[in-house]
């Protein structure tokens, strides 16, 4: 009787490693090389690297497709947007990661695309827009409102119209959601965030199930030089080994903090999709009260990134280009792996200061 396939938690640890031969290294070494002997599969440092391949093997396996690492999440999203035909229509969330929306707006300003933004919780409106699109770009859960889309309904509508569906899976990770299994064509990650998990790497990744699309994205990476550094990729691979245990602890912390914040008088609304490590709250008293919370925390880190082992928060509308669909008083919280009681003591004290 064949052995069952190892679980994702195990494959995170065992994937992308050298062959088990005597004196072989346990981990894929960092390969610092720009030049390779001719006659092999790599040829040149802009075309490949064994350290990239190890990381890509692990992520591709977890997402159920073929992965490519990029120098940043925005480098990966830029490569995916290169698949858009000239003059095509992009359907995107009304609020999402600002960098990606800015890339789309730039394409529209240049006359190369039309951007249509839709409330992703309105499935009827989203599927209707998908029927006239060239590409549908989803974040689910979305950044920073934590809205959830019906991915299957959207991919079905997009495929019927001949449109590609792209899903940003940064928040959920492949341990909680596999968009390719739900009909998506491409998955994007800011590997800087949950995958790496230690706030010390800038890296992106794209995963797809189609060999032709993979080839086009690989060509874009080569021609545009959007290649990751070997050290960054090594650190991301090392970080992803512990994704399962980090996610389990941080997700449990997030659920407990959501429960406790829901009863605090300074919290008007809690946004949490029921899974993952991200939540958002709207503070009563508006932007000034939310800023007082940010200024009062001591254990939580005031920063704009997320997905690290440390807990962080920020008021998103401090960024001028943030969507008006995001409340002025909204705080986005990235919950880490610290002791939940320590986190709550610091956060509740800061929330108490909101009304002063």
């Amino acid at each position: 009787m064949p052995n069952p396939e190892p679980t994702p938690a195990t494959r995170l640890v065992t994937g992308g490693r050298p062959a088990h031969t005597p004196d072989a290294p346990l981990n894929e070494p960092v390969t610092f090389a720009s030049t390779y002997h001719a006659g092999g599969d790599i040829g040149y440092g802009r075309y490949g690297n064994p350290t990239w391949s190890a990381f890509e093997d692990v992520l591709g396996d977890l997402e159920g497709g073929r992965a490519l690492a990029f120098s940043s999440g925005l480098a990966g999203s830029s490569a995916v947007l290169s698949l858009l035909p000239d003059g095509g229509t992009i359907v995107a969330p009304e609020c999402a990661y600002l960098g990606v929306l800015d890339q789309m707006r730039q394409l529209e300003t240049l006359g190369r695309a039309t951007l249509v933004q839709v409330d992703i919780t309105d499935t009827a409106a989203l599927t209707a827009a998908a029927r006239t699109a060239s590409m549908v770009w989803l974040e689910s859960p979305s950044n920073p409102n934590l809205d959830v889309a019906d991915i299957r309904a959207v991919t079905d509508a997009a495929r019927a119209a001949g449109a590609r569906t792209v899903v940003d899976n940064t928040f959920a990770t492949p341990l909680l959601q596999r968009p390719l299994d739900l009909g998506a064509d491409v998955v994007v990650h800011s590997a800087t965030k949950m995958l790496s998990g230690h706030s010390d790497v800038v890296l992106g990744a794209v995963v797809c199930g189609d060999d032709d699309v993979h080839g086009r994205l690989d060509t874009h990476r080569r021609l545009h030089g959007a290649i990751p550094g070997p050290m960054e990729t090594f650190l991301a691979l090392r970080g992803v080994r512990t994704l399962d245990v980090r996610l389990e602890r941080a997700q449990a912390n997030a659920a407990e903090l959501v429960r406790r914040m829901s009863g605090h008088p300074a919290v008007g609304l809690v946004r949490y999709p029921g899974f993952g490590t991200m939540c958002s709250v709207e503070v009563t008293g508006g932007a000034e009260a939310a800023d007082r919370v940010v200024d009062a925390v001591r254990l939580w880190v005031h920063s704009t990134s997320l997905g690290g082992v440390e807990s962080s928060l920020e008021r998103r509308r401090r960024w001028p280009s943030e969507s008006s669909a995001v409340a002025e008083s909204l705080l986005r919280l990235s919950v880490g792996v610290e002791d939940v009681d320590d986190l709550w003591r610091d956060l509740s004290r800061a929330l108490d200061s909101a009304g002063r």
Side-chain angles (χ1 to χ4, degrees):
M1 183 175 181
N3 291 326
E5 182 181 17
T7 64
T10 297
R11 302 202 313 270
L12 280 169
V13 176
T14 60
R17 293 191 184 273
H20 293 188
T21 57
D23 287 333
L26 184 61
N27 298 301
E28 179 63 45
V30 189
T31 300
F32 293 108
S34 62
T35 308
Y36 297 81
H37 291 284
D41 294 330
I42 297 178
Y44 183 58
R46 191 158 38 82
Y47 303 159
N49 182 290
T51 315
W52 304 355
S53 298
F55 173 76
E56 291 166 349
D57 287 348
V58 174
L59 181 58
D61 173 56
L62 266 292
E63 285 284 12
R66 297 182 67 189
L68 287 166
F70 285 83
S71 53
S72 66
L74 281 177
S77 63
S78 178
V80 175
L81 288 171
S82 74
L83 301 173
L84 186 74
D86 279 343
T89 296
I90 311 169
V91 173
E94 61 180 352
C95 58
Y97 175 57
L98 295 181
V100 172
L101 289 180
D102 285 344
Q103 287 183 339
M104 295 174 181
R105 290 168 184 145
Q106 184 181 63
L107 290 175
E108 186 170 51
T109 299
L110 295 172
R112 293 175 52 195
T114 298
L115 174 60
V116 176
Q117 292 180 260
V118 182
D119 177 358
I120 65 168
T121 64
D122 187 340
T123 302
L126 189 55
T127 54
R131 296 187 186 102
T132 60
S134 306
M135 178 179 287
V136 181
W137 193 291
L138 297 177
E139 287 183 356
S140 186
S142 67
N143 183 6
N145 278 353
L146 283 305
D147 293 327
V148 175
D150 185 338
I151 296 175
R152 173 62 76 181
V154 177
T155 59
D156 287 347
R159 180 167 287 108
R164 284 194 175 92
T165 305
V166 182
V167 178
D168 186 323
N169 207 27
T170 299
F171 281 11
T173 82
L175 293 184
L176 299 178
Q177 173 177 275
R178 298 217 316 177
L180 295 180
D181 291 347
L182 298 173
D185 299 290
V186 181
V187 174
V188 295
H189 281 276
S190 174
T192 304
K193 311 299 195 300
M194 279 299 299
L195 294 181
S196 297
H198 291 80
S199 303
D200 56 6
V201 170
V202 174
L203 197 78
V206 176
V207 189
C208 56
D210 182 270
D211 288 343
D212 177 67
V213 172
H214 181 274
R216 292 175 63 181
L217 294 171
D218 187 22
T219 298
H220 179 98
R221 182 174 70 172
R222 296 180 183 212
L223 292 179
H224 292 262
I227 60 173
M231 192 67 207
E232 287 82 356
T233 316
F234 173 84
L235 288 172
L237 177 59
R238 186 174 70 169
V240 87
R241 301 294 189 199
T242 60
L243 175 61
D244 182 70
V245 291
R246 287 188 287 107
L247 179 61
E248 181 179 10
R249 172 63 174 261
Q251 181 172 242
N253 281 352
E256 177 59 19
L257 289 172
V258 163
R259 186 187 70 79
R260 297 185 188 187
M261 286 189 294
S262 298
H264 196 285
V267 176
L269 178 67
V270 178
R271 295 176 177 270
Y272 184 61
F275 62 92
T277 66
M278 302 296 300
C279 60
S280 294
V281 298
E282 295 178 19
V283 180
T284 57
E288 291 184 0
D291 285 337
R292 284 196 291 273
V293 174
V294 168
D295 291 339
V297 292
R298 294 294 177 264
L299 178 59
W300 291 74
V301 181
H302 180 206
S303 66
T304 195
S305 195
L306 55 96
V309 292
E310 65 286 320
S311 296
S312 62
L313 79 172
E314 70 166 335
R315 186 174 71 86
R316 286 300 303 168
R317 286 292 292 277
R318 72 191 180 99
W319 300 102
S321 57
E322 184 62 86
S323 170
S324 59
V326 178
E328 286 278 3
S329 66
L330 182 138
L331 297 178
R332 186 188 67 189
L333 284 69
S334 172
V335 182
V337 301
E338 304 95 335
D339 182 271
V340 70
D341 290 326
D342 291 335
L343 289 173
W344 177 242
R345 274 190 291 270
D346 188 45
L347 184 58
S348 61
R349 179 184 54 80
L351 287 169
D352 290 342
S353 72
R356 295 174 186 168

